[in-house]
Amino acid sequence: MVRRFVRYYHPHLKLFLIDMLCALSISVIDLLFPIATKRVLEVYIPNKEIRFILILGASLLVLYVIRFILSYIIGYWGHVMGIRIETDMRTDLFHKLQVLDYQYFDNKKTGELMTNLTTHLHDVSEMSHHAPEDLFISMIMLIGSFTILLTINIYLTLIVFAFLLMLITYSLRRRRKMLSSFRSVRSVQGELNAEIESSISGIRLTKAYTNEEYEEQKFDKINNSYKKARSNVFKQIGLYGSGNDFFINLTNLALLIFGGYFVYNPNINFDYIDLTTYFLYINFLIKPIQRLTNSIEQIQQGFSGIEKFFNIMDVEPVIKSKENALINNDFQGNIEFKDVVFRYNQEDEEIILNNFNLTIPAGKKVALVGETGVGKTTISKLVPRFYDVSEGKILIDDIDIRDYDLYNLRNAIGTVQQDVFIFYGTIRENILYGKPEASFEEVVEAAKKAQIHDFIMSLEEGYDTITGERGVRLSGGQQQRISIARLFLKNPKILILDEATSSLDNITENMIQQSFDELSKGKTTIMIAHRLSTIKNADEIIVIGKSGIIERGRHQELVNQHGYYANLYKASLEVK
């Protein structure tokens, strides 16, 4: 995992090397101060060489100015490198989400995925900058200090490092428990964001059902879970930090006792100046360890975010284009289902479609009718390969749809569903979604065909009117007509209309039906509807039951058969 993450440094290697070079320079400058102090105490003060003290002071001042500049470079350009890595990772993750299958999103919460794209990657960004820098500086300071202290007194140095070894051992053991607690926080944080996203998205329904208290109860439950998870993290951080402080204090105590003894013992070549130098270097030894201790939360959060990132990146889409997939730039629109068997999960015993066979000639309008759960909507999702058949095959123009390039296939198919999705943005942007490169004139023409142009022009901002979140500022009929305008703009060869008018009033339905009639001219059209009034003009009506196709024919033919369809039609008239 770490090796894969390191690849994200490659495009920014120049910034990384500058950052590390500055960190190295800062470490060297910091190591010079105890040496200079020792020189002043041992030579310049006893010999009263004030001139050399001033020269040394001026030299250190220059070095500290340089250190200030180097520290700025690390603070600014280091973070720039981090945000660039974060941006690259977010781009890759967003691209990955775009190519994953329907099934993946069936089992995921939107808020959780949003957390992976934002909060987690921000933590990775902070770690990607600070962790290498902190580790590098710490290594230089530890090795440099250890080497210099060995030249002063080997035995005292070994004693001090024995205590530091205990500190490192304790830190590594506590690190495992901290990582586990951070993983738990990441999981609960995703659920918390998912709950917030779901609650805010459904706030109008909540108010309609006066379920504010119920929503608060659900939120309190997940919020308390997050509180417990975070509390456990802080418990682990507390144990980690306090334990490290304890061993650091032991190290200082050991240095005071053993160093004092070495100064007291006339047989050991060690004086108070050496002891002072030791205390200065011990500070430089402990400083990087404390730095790592203070940043351990950031490092653990970063690693947890990396795990989440690669967990998604490692998911392979099941539905994708095969090698050397066919490109068809002139679909005719002949559709054939041959012995199709489908279940949503291969482990499920429930079969949605069983040995289903149906041929839809190019340019024909076919309606699918039947009770809920017989597979009508499933059929509409199989044609554009949102799901793949479990057995059998679906042919378009006598070629298995799995042999086509996936994007080429879907580009030839247009879908309008009952639950229309309107993006936050302008009406123009929402219509352009059908063909992003279209001109404004083409957008207007599509809106006219969808019978929505006059309404748009009645708005103060016209095509630049903001639709609101999920089109909240538009009525259901207006949303439907905008979605139809998208299809006019896309102009696909195959249309799938899934309960597209079931939630609309009769007047609006008639207007949209006229738009559909215009849209479906010369196109292969699959219509799924419970309102039989919308499918009277279909070239063929397919009545589907649990066992498959039970009736088929034109509207009047089926009514005259006095079968299942006739009963449905009679019931619809009674409702009216």
Side-chain angles (χ1 to χ4, degrees):
M1 184 180 70
V2 175
R3 186 177 300 174
R4 293 172 65 188
F5 171 65
V6 168
R7 295 174 187 170
Y8 283 95
Y9 283 95
H10 291 173
H12 316 291
L13 189 59
K14 183 178 179 180
L15 275 180
F16 178 75
L17 292 177
I18 291 174
D19 189 53
M20 291 299 100
L21 181 61
C22 291
L24 172 63
S25 302
I26 286 175
S27 300
V28 172
I29 291 173
D30 287 343
L31 287 171
L32 290 176
F33 181 75
I35 295 176
T37 302
K38 188 172 188 294
R39 183 71 177 173
V40 168
L41 292 174
E42 280 187 340
V43 179
Y44 297 155
I45 291 178
N47 296 330
K48 299 181 179 180
E49 296 177 347
I50 189 67
R51 176 170 170 270
F52 287 107
I53 293 176
L54 294 175
I55 292 174
L56 184 62
S59 301
L60 287 176
L61 178 61
V62 171
L63 288 176
Y64 285 143
V65 171
I66 295 173
R67 190 186 188 284
F68 165 78
I69 296 172
L70 296 174
S71 182
Y72 168 78
I73 292 172
I74 291 175
Y76 175 63
W77 287 107
H79 280 97
V80 168
M81 179 192 69
I83 192 61
R84 289 180 181 178
I85 290 174
E86 177 186 353
T87 301
D88 292 343
M89 293 179 72
R90 183 176 291 114
T91 299
D92 288 349
L93 185 57
F94 188 80
H95 172 72
K96 186 69 175 185
L97 292 174
Q98 297 302 304
V99 301
L100 288 176
D101 302 324
Y102 254 49
Q103 292 98 319
Y104 179 81
F105 298 98
D106 289 343
N107 301 314
K108 294 295 180 180
K109 299 175 181 178
T110 302
E112 186 176 346
L113 295 176
M114 289 174 62
T115 303
N116 288 326
L117 277 165
T118 53
T119 306
H120 292 175
L121 289 184
H122 173 71
D123 292 338
V124 173
S125 168
E126 288 297 301
M127 187 207 70
S128 66
H129 159 49
H130 290 291
E133 172 198 322
D134 289 345
L135 290 172
F136 185 67
I137 290 177
S138 299
M139 181 180 69
I140 296 298
M141 296 296 287
L142 286 170
I143 294 174
S145 300
F146 183 70
T147 303
I148 293 171
L149 289 179
L150 283 175
T151 63
I152 299 175
N153 190 285
I154 296 176
Y155 300 109
L156 186 57
T157 301
L158 293 177
I159 291 171
V160 167
F161 268 82
F163 282 90
L164 290 178
L165 186 61
M166 287 189 286
L167 168 62
I168 293 170
T169 302
Y170 176 82
S171 298
L172 291 175
R173 288 185 176 180
R174 297 306 315 176
R175 176 186 175 278
R176 297 190 189 99
K177 293 186 178 181
M178 287 184 64
L179 182 57
S180 176
S181 64
F182 274 110
R183 284 173 181 157
S184 299
V185 167
R186 281 286 176 262
S187 178
V188 178
Q189 186 178 33
E191 293 179 13
L192 175 63
N193 288 342
E195 176 62 33
I196 294 172
E197 189 272 338
S198 176
S199 182
I200 293 175
S201 298
I203 191 66
R204 292 166 184 83
L205 184 65
T206 300
K207 292 182 178 298
Y209 279 82
T210 63
N211 273 340
E212 289 88 348
E213 185 177 346
Y214 174 66
E215 284 297 318
E216 289 179 8
Q217 289 173 355
K218 288 199 303 178
F219 177 78
D220 286 344
K221 182 178 179 182
I222 188 65
N223 198 30
N224 285 327
S225 296
Y226 181 72
K227 180 182 70 175
K228 290 178 181 178
R230 287 290 291 175
S231 297
N232 185 50
V233 164
F234 292 128
K235 175 184 177 183
Q236 299 302 328
I237 291 175
L239 288 171
Y240 183 87
S242 58
N244 283 341
D245 287 342
F246 174 73
F247 283 106
I248 288 171
N249 290 331
L250 279 184
T251 303
N252 284 321
L253 180 60
L255 177 59
L256 179 64
I257 294 173
F258 288 100
Y261 172 75
F262 281 19
V263 172
Y264 170 77
N265 193 331
N267 297 321
I268 300 177
N269 186 21
F270 192 82
D271 57 23
Y272 72 93
I273 296 176
D274 292 326
L275 183 59
T276 302
T277 305
Y278 247 93
F279 271 110
L280 288 172
Y281 273 112
I282 285 299
N283 179 56
F284 287 117
L285 274 173
I286 293 173
K287 196 174 181 181
I289 296 174
Q290 287 178 321
R291 186 173 188 168
L292 286 175
T293 301
N294 294 332
S295 64
I296 195 67
E297 178 182 3
Q298 186 180 75
I299 294 173
Q300 298 289 26
Q301 285 179 334
F303 270 105
S304 181
I306 291 172
E307 282 185 330
K308 293 283 186 182
F309 174 79
F310 283 115
N311 284 342
I312 298 177
M313 294 298 293
D314 288 338
V315 177
E316 282 298 323
V318 177
I319 299 174
K320 54 187 175 182
S321 301
K322 60 169 59 175
E323 291 186 18
N324 302 316
L326 299 176
I327 301 292
N328 187 345
N329 294 320
D330 187 26
F331 280 96
Q332 299 303 307
N334 292 292
I335 303 175
E336 183 179 2
F337 292 78
K338 294 188 70 172
D339 301 320
V340 169
V341 176
F342 179 76
R343 51 176 69 86
Y344 278 98
N345 291 303
Q346 298 305 314
E347 298 80 15
D348 288 352
E349 295 183 2
E350 182 183 7
I351 296 177
I352 308 300
L353 296 174
N354 190 18
N355 294 321
F356 182 78
N357 291 276
L358 175 65
T359 299
I360 304 174
K364 295 296 182 181
K365 185 188 298 184
V366 173
L368 305 180
V369 178
E371 62 182 90
T372 302
V374 296
K376 303 186 300 299
T377 297
T378 297
I379 291 171
S380 73
K381 292 179 180 178
L382 291 176
V383 176
R385 284 193 72 195
F386 294 145
Y387 298 92
D388 267 341
V389 298
S390 303
E391 298 176 31
K393 56 186 175 180
I394 300 173
L395 309 176
I396 293 183
D397 296 343
D398 301 319
I399 296 175
D400 192 323
I401 60 174
R402 289 169 291 194
D403 293 333
Y404 287 116
D405 176 81
L406 187 60
Y407 294 98
N408 176 241
L409 171 69
R410 291 178 180 172
N411 198 44
I413 301 170
T415 304
V416 176
Q417 297 177 325
Q418 176 184 352
D419 183 19
V420 173
F421 192 91
I422 299 295
F423 292 95
Y424 182 87
T426 65
I427 292 176
R428 183 208 304 250
E429 291 168 344
N430 271 279
I431 296 176
L432 273 172
Y433 205 76
K435 185 182 175 183
E437 70 277 9
S439 66
F440 179 64
E441 290 72 21
E442 290 177 290
V443 171
V444 172
E445 184 62 27
K448 288 179 178 178
K449 290 179 179 179
Q451 300 188 38
I452 190 68
H453 173 72
D454 291 342
F455 163 74
I456 296 173
M457 295 308 297
S458 70
L459 301 171
E460 184 177 348
E461 299 294 331
Y463 282 85
D464 293 323
T465 299
I466 297 295
T467 60
E469 189 77 21
R470 293 184 67 100
V472 70
R473 297 176 63 183
L474 303 172
S475 70
Q478 291 158 359
Q479 292 181 25
Q480 284 286 13
R481 279 180 279 171
I482 287 176
S483 71
I484 295 169
R486 286 178 188 162
L487 277 189
F488 271 115
L489 201 59
K490 183 178 182 181
N491 194 27
K493 194 64 182 178
I494 299 170
L495 295 178
I496 299 174
L497 310 177
D498 186 3
E499 301 280 8
T501 62
S502 62
S503 62
L504 305 178
D505 61 84
N506 291 331
I507 295 175
T508 305
E509 180 185 47
N510 289 333
M511 294 177 62
I512 290 180
Q513 195 59 48
Q514 293 173 24
S515 301
F516 281 149
D517 291 339
E518 175 70 20
L519 179 62
S520 61
K521 286 180 180 178
K523 297 179 173 63
T524 305
T525 305
I526 299 175
M527 303 174 64
I528 301 169
H530 282 117
R531 285 189 181 183
L532 304 186
S533 59
T534 62
I535 61 172
K536 281 184 178 181
N537 297 327
D539 295 309
E540 186 175 24
I541 298 171
I542 308 296
V543 183
I544 303 174
K546 293 289 186 183
S547 59
I549 297 175
I550 56 178
E551 290 178 2
R552 62 192 306 169
R554 294 182 68 85
H555 170 72
Q556 196 57 49
E557 293 173 358
L558 294 175
V559 171
N560 294 338
Q561 290 178 12
H562 303 291
Y564 183 85
Y565 180 82
N567 292 333
L568 283 179
Y569 184 63
K570 182 180 178 181
S572 68
L573 293 177
E574 291 175 354
V575 170
K576 287 184 179 180

